[in-house]
Amino acid sequence: MILAKSKDEVSKDVAVSVISQITEKPDSLLGLPTGRTPLNMYEHIKELTRKRNVDWSQAQFFGLDEYLDTDRLQSFKYYLETNVYGPLKISEKNCSNPLTIVNYDNAIESMGGLDLTVLGIGTNGHIAFNEPPTSELSWTHCVWLTESTKDANMEFFESPEIVPDKAVTMGIQTLLSSRRLILMAFGSHKKEILERALKGPVDPLIPASYLQKHQNLEIYTDFEFSI
Ligand code: GLP
């Protein structure tokens, strides 16, 4: 049973868990999300890094997804550069993005596989940019974004005309191959989709429902939730 805690407390809990992963395995491969949900967690990671002198130099960072049709400032690469890589002084050679690496899954596997991947969830049940419907067998692939996803991301763009409609994303198999998964969901508007995804049937129309198949999934919410 997850008891209601503040978004800030939950974000700090996740930051502590991510840093623990690095402490235990300094050369961990991390899958990192974008969007609103993880911003507070990234702030706590920066603060804890300063306080605990965390060494990120051996870690490898993998963006979950990336737009195919947007400019640099709106890209998820830029989001991670400004919120994570720059502040933590991560070497560019340790930062990977599905747009810049031709065979993303092969690159991840050749480096030992993902150790920890942090996910948010879209209100239509997408994880990374695996939009409904997505095959359980999918690896990294290109997608057309749904109208609901484009609407949700509209605020990050100056006008509706330039909201991207295409992306590349880690697939379901890519995500399920991660040894640890953390799923974060903040706000009552995410409770219903989280309930459907984790308590309902596994369904290609709710890609987050595939997470039920993972043996090491940790869920962090700022509302009461129980599986
Ligand atoms: C975006 C991202 C996802 C993110 C989701 C939720 O489209 N591709 O990685 O988890 O939508 O975003 P937010 O955290 O802003 O609600």
Side-chain angles (χ1 to χ4, degrees):
M1 172 72 170
I2 299 175
L3 301 174
K5 291 170 74 170
S6 74
K7 177 177 169 182
D8 187 61
E9 287 170 311
V10 175
S11 298
K12 185 171 184 178
D13 290 345
V14 179
V16 167
S17 186
V18 174
I19 287 173
S20 301
Q21 175 66 43
I22 295 299
T23 306
E24 289 157 26
K25 187 176 183 282
D27 63 346
S28 291
L29 274 65
L30 301 175
L32 294 184
T34 56
R36 304 161 192 85
T37 301
L39 284 171
N40 199 334
M41 181 264 291
Y42 290 136
E43 288 305 312
H44 280 292
I45 282 182
K46 288 178 268 189
E47 182 185 345
L48 290 167
T49 294
R50 283 190 293 274
K51 286 180 179 173
R52 302 181 182 179
N53 195 26
V54 178
D55 176 6
W56 293 95
S57 62
Q58 298 176 66
Q60 292 290 330
F61 298 80
F62 292 84
L64 300 186
D65 41 20
E66 182 57 273
Y67 291 119
L68 288 177
D69 50 344
T70 193
D71 64 28
R72 168 170 160 67
L73 293 182
Q74 305 300 341
S75 70
F76 286 163
K77 183 172 184 288
Y78 184 75
Y79 170 112
L80 291 171
E81 285 169 352
T82 52
N83 288 293
V84 185
Y85 305 151
L88 298 183
K89 298 181 175 51
I90 307 298
S91 166
E92 192 170 347
K93 67 178 174 53
N94 292 347
C95 305
S96 299
N97 174 293
L99 201 54
T100 54
I101 292 190
V102 175
N103 189 330
Y104 211 42
D105 295 300
N106 188 47
I108 291 169
E109 188 177 344
S110 66
M111 295 169 76
L114 291 166
D115 291 291
L116 169 60
T117 299
V118 182
L119 299 168
I121 184 170
T123 51
N124 67 348
H126 76 250
I127 43 176
F129 264 144
N130 290 283
E131 295 274 46
T134 294
S135 164
E136 179 179 350
L137 302 179
S138 57
W139 290 90
T140 297
H141 60 285
C142 293
V143 296
W144 286 91
L145 300 176
T146 61
E147 289 310 311
S148 79
T149 294
K150 292 193 286 186
D151 290 346
N153 293 340
M154 183 89 68
E155 68 180 80
F156 300 115
F157 297 89
E158 286 172 9
S159 70
E161 295 75 42
I162 61 169
V163 176
D165 55 16
K166 292 182 282 299
V168 57
T169 182
M170 284 185 188
I172 297 301
Q173 288 302 308
T174 321
L175 298 176
L176 293 181
S177 72
S178 182
R179 282 179 275 279
R180 288 179 61 199
L181 283 177
I182 286 179
L183 175 61
M184 300 174 74
F186 291 143
S188 54
H189 67 296
K190 292 284 180 77
K191 185 163 185 175
E192 192 263 336
I193 191 61
L194 199 67
E195 301 261 356
R196 287 175 61 199
L198 299 183
K199 296 182 183 176
V202 175
D203 181 351
L205 292 174
I206 306 180
S209 66
Y210 293 126
L211 296 178
Q212 295 180 37
K213 294 173 174 275
H214 197 274
Q215 299 307 309
N216 196 356
L217 171 69
E218 302 163 56
I219 302 160
Y220 289 84
T221 66
D222 64 348
F223 47 79
E224 279 197 15
F225 184 78
S226 61
I227 289 190

